[in-house]
Amino acid sequence: MGDPAQPAIGPAATTSPKSPRSPKSPGSSVETNQPAGETLLVADDNLEEFDGDGDSAYGVAENERLDVQHDLFLLTFDGRLHVANLDTEPHRVLDAGCGTGIWSIEFADKHPESHVTGIDLSPIQPSFVPPNVTFFVDDLEDDWNFSSNFDFIFARFCTGSIVDWPRFFKQSFSFLNPGGVIELQDIIYPMCSDDGTLTQDTPLKRWSDMLNDAFAGMGRGMDSAKAYPKQLAEAGFVDIEVVREKWPTNHWPKDKKYKQIGIWNTENILNALGALSLAIFTRPKEESGLGWSVAELEVLLAGVRKDMRDTRIHGYWQISLHLIIWTRDNYTAAAESNCRCASATMRLKKIDFRDVQADLDLGVPVKFNSSFHTADEAPDLPIPSELPSSFRRWLPLILRSRNIEERDLQIVRFTPAMTRLLVDASSASIHTRVLNKALAEDLEEEVGPAFEVPGRAAVHSYEDIVLQLTTSSRARITMTNYLRKRLDEPLELYFLPFDERMKTEMEYRVFCAPETLDICAISQYQWHKPWRFGKKTDREMEIIAERILAGAREIRLQILSDLRGPSDELDDMLRRQGVTFDVWYDDARDKVELVELNTFGVRSACGACLFHWVKDRDVMYGVGDGEVEFRVVI
């Protein structure tokens, strides 16, 4: 046993942090302490002054120092890139504040099935990286606009870099898949000492305290990790586990591991000392600095360097490790709701193709595919908003469902002037089905630049997209409505990679009732043609319909788990209005994938396919026996 009078420094080297998967109440946190009976790490009294290198102005370059810091974390956590116990291989990983990118690259090498996205304000990452790594220069405090959610978010040494941590955690929460994990590794200022050898009058302690106070004055406190558990819980996370480690000032501990950590940490701190201190100490007080002269700072830093090498001072920095699982609350509620939905039986209703054909012959169908009903037909129902089901809002889920990477997405943005030109061109092209030659040159000159994205290959060519836009009635309506609204933001078009397997005859429309979002009805999307499985036996048709329904229920579960709750106005509106969503069924792979979400309701613009919003209202709104009615044309 160690002498309890000597300073302890973290758990013994044989102690490993607990798995983040242990069940706890929502918002709870557990901090691992020195286990009773473990050998304490004590100071080695047979030491001379440590002979370390100078600071970064004279020593290693900053990028090299950051890589040394990476090795320091590996040493601290016994060679592990992450401590979180990832039950399954994470498909998408975010390295928030990736620095030189060394963690992203090493993680990608060890997990070839994962794709790692590294984000940092500084473009200091290497050019040659594994194919499953992508780096972006961006600000994590801006609105996140990733097209897909992540399974694992990793952030290390971001303290002092982020002002609004609650917002960072809320965005992390929104962009994590259900059951996903976030791991935070951070240092905590000011410095500590368990035996009082780091006194208030030492330059090292003074520097540490003043540095933290100055950063706090700018809203970037270096002790931000202390508030992480509370802020994470408020963002909705559960299973919050906190592990504390320590980085000694030098090689003063007796324990070999922490002695080695101290040696590396001396190198790390002394090489960062000048760069870390200069701006904050010499900036005027009115600019949130300390107002020191460079000469005054150099005197202080000389003392700091001396204290860092002094093995009689048993100082250390706390290293905080937070392991957190995405909230199970929404996911559990969604799963329970899906179980209730799954308990509903299915009724396969076969519509005679002759009835459909007769309805089509009328010019305007009266029995099927109704939409835009008037207030007279449904005086108790308002016109539903299209905003909650917008493609932009649900794009991450669509990409996940169809296993499409964000980098494979093409987004084209049109200004109002570009949109007006496309509408003008469509006036003739929509009838001739060919591009209006009179406006072809203007289109290429004015609209063409919207397709130029440096460094990225287009999914679809300019010619293909313009032809589709100018010959599609639906596109013309969308562009015309956009111009009528006189919006300031551009009109965005999203293009996904072409999949030759995906045909309209393989699509289905799923109707989910308001409030519960239970699936009440499903129709083949191509309602005016015989079902592609219509020649199979009755039992075979039922089996196929059941498989499609099962896939639709899984997508419904994903939609429910992606809802951000009553605090999000649009998501709450979607639940109150109900929703329809389109899926396609690939029978070769027996897989159902999400195409898009649409509005729901009698007065919506959404076509009812083989249903009629007014005549089949009870069925579509879930009033009655609770069965899911699945309609196909035979």
Side-chain angles (χ1 to χ4, degrees), residues 452-457:
E452 298 172 2
V453 182
R456 293 192 64 177

Side-chain angles (χ1 to χ4, degrees), residues 166-404:
R167 185 168 184 267
F168 174 85
F169 293 138
K170 287 178 181 177
Q171 295 208 87
S172 298
F173 179 87
S174 296
F175 281 88
L176 263 179
N177 287 323
V181 177
I182 180 172
E183 178 170 331
L184 307 162
Q185 298 179 5
D186 249 321
I187 195 168
I188 298 178
Y189 275 75
M191 296 179 62
C192 303
S193 172
D194 293 331
D195 61 355
T197 53
L198 181 66
T199 59
Q200 290 293 334
D201 60 348
T202 57
L204 182 57
K205 179 62 173 172
R206 289 175 55 216
W207 169 80
S208 172
D209 289 350
M210 286 189 289
L211 189 72
N212 185 55
D213 291 344
F215 269 90
M218 296 189 298
R220 300 176 181 272
M222 301 287 278
D223 58 352
S224 59
K226 294 179 180 178
Y228 290 172
K230 180 175 182 293
Q231 293 167 345
L232 286 159
E234 290 172 347
F237 288 99
V238 296
D239 287 359
I240 302 168
E241 184 162 343
V242 183
V243 176
R244 300 288 190 206
E245 277 287 357
K246 299 177 182 180
W247 283 359
T249 48
N250 53 56
H251 65 305
W252 64 260
K254 278 187 176 180
D255 183 273
K256 290 183 179 180
K257 172 183 173 179
Y258 289 92
K259 186 184 292 292
Q260 189 70 18
I261 290 175
I263 293 172
W264 282 83
N265 190 38
T266 308
E267 180 83 5
N268 176 51
I269 294 297
L270 292 184
N271 282 314
L273 197 57
L276 185 61
S277 308
L278 183 61
I280 197 72
F281 274 82
T282 60
R283 185 180 296 143
K285 291 182 179 180
E286 56 270 21
E287 297 178 13
S288 300
L290 297 178
W292 285 36
S293 68
V294 174
E296 289 174 320
L297 175 60
E298 281 301 325
V299 171
L300 175 65
L301 294 187
V304 172
R305 294 185 186 97
K306 183 177 180 180
D307 287 348
M308 280 291 296
R309 299 186 181 99
D310 191 342
T311 56
R312 295 170 299 177
I313 297 177
H314 304 145
Y316 62 85
W317 282 268
Q318 290 187 74
I319 298 299
S320 175
L321 170 69
H322 292 75
L323 308 171
I324 310 98
I325 298 177
W326 189 91
T327 179
R328 290 197 183 95
D329 292 351
N330 281 357
Y331 191 72
T332 301
E336 291 173 352
S337 175
N338 221 41
C339 287
R340 293 192 299 271
C341 179
S343 65
T345 58
M346 184 199 73
R347 177 174 60 246
L348 182 62
K349 186 171 182 178
K350 303 162 191 171
I351 307 295
D352 193 317
F353 177 64
R354 290 171 295 183
D355 291 340
V356 174
Q357 191 63 49
D359 207 39
L360 284 170
D361 290 342
L362 296 174
V364 179
V366 295
K367 294 177 64 177
F368 306 108
N369 201 38
S370 70
S371 61
F372 288 115
H373 289 280
T374 65
D376 291 338
E377 295 174 287
D380 57 325
L381 296 175
I383 298 175
S385 171
E386 297 180 356
L387 294 177
S389 56
S390 71
F391 194 82
R392 178 193 294 177
R393 162 65 180 91
W394 294 100
L395 180 60
L397 178 57
I398 293 169
L399 294 180
R400 293 203 310 272
S401 174
R402 296 176 59 184
N403 198 28
I404 297 174

Side-chain angles (χ1 to χ4, degrees), residues 14-202:
T14 56
T15 303
S16 60
K18 297 178 182 178
S19 163
R21 301 285 180 180
S22 54
K24 301 173 189 69
S25 59
S28 65
S29 64
V30 173
E31 181 168 330
T32 57
N33 297 313
Q34 180 75 29
E38 290 278 0
T39 301
L40 298 178
L41 298 178
V42 298
D44 187 345
D45 295 327
N46 300 314
L47 295 174
E48 297 180 358
E49 185 176 274
F50 179 69
D51 185 19
D53 291 335
D55 64 26
S56 60
Y58 314 102
V60 296
E62 175 64 6
N63 286 9
E64 293 177 356
R65 186 194 70 80
L66 291 175
D67 288 347
V68 167
Q69 189 169 273
H70 170 75
D71 292 332
L72 186 52
F73 273 103
L74 292 182
L75 182 59
T76 303
F77 297 116
D78 303 319
R80 290 172 291 180
L81 284 171
H82 57 88
V83 182
N85 181 20
L86 304 177
D87 290 342
T88 58
E89 191 79 359
H91 180 58
R92 286 176 49 80
V93 178
L94 174 64
D95 184 2
C98 63
T100 65
I102 188 170
W103 186 92
S104 298
I105 293 169
E106 291 189 9
F107 186 95
D109 283 337
K110 289 189 175 183
H111 301 268
E113 299 302 317
S114 302
H115 184 85
V116 183
T117 300
I119 304 291
D120 202 278
L121 273 174
S122 301
I124 57 176
Q125 301 78 33
S127 301
F128 298 100
V129 298
N132 55 330
V133 175
T134 305
F135 291 118
F136 294 99
V137 177
D138 210 339
D139 190 345
L140 288 166
E141 296 207 81
D142 289 343
D143 289 338
W144 292 11
N145 58 359
F146 302 110
S147 61
S148 297
N149 284 12
F150 298 95
D151 303 301
F152 181 36
I153 295 179
F154 181 82
R156 186 172 67 187
F157 234 112
C158 289
T159 189
S161 300
I162 292 178
V163 174
D164 193 347
W165 278 104
R167 185 168 184 267
F168 174 85
F169 293 138
K170 287 178 181 177
Q171 295 208 87
S172 298
F173 179 87
S174 296
F175 281 88
L176 263 179
N177 287 323
V181 177
I182 180 172
E183 178 170 331
L184 307 162
Q185 298 179 5
D186 249 321
I187 195 168
I188 298 178
Y189 275 75
M191 296 179 62
C192 303
S193 172
D194 293 331
D195 61 355
T197 53
L198 181 66
T199 59
Q200 290 293 334
D201 60 348
T202 57

Side-chain angles (χ1 to χ4, degrees), residues 496-556:
L496 278 58
F498 175 71
D499 190 335
E500 61 182 8
R501 298 168 303 171
M502 189 174 177
K503 299 178 175 62
T504 307
E505 64 183 24
M506 302 169 73
E507 291 188 41
Y508 299 85
R509 178 153 289 175
V510 183
F511 301 88
C512 300
E515 301 299 342
T516 63
L517 297 187
D518 286 343
I519 295 176
C520 299
I522 299 180
S523 168
Q524 65 180 76
Y525 184 81
Q526 201 175 48
W527 64 275
H528 55 286
K529 292 185 178 181
W531 192 31
R532 62 193 301 258
F533 301 112
K535 293 185 178 181
K536 293 184 177 292
T537 66
D538 288 348
R539 182 54 189 150
E540 287 173 334
M541 285 190 283
E542 287 180 358
I543 291 173
I544 291 171
E546 287 169 355
R547 287 175 176 171
I548 295 169
L549 174 57
R553 282 172 170 159
E554 180 59 32
I555 290 175
R556 171 188 175 271

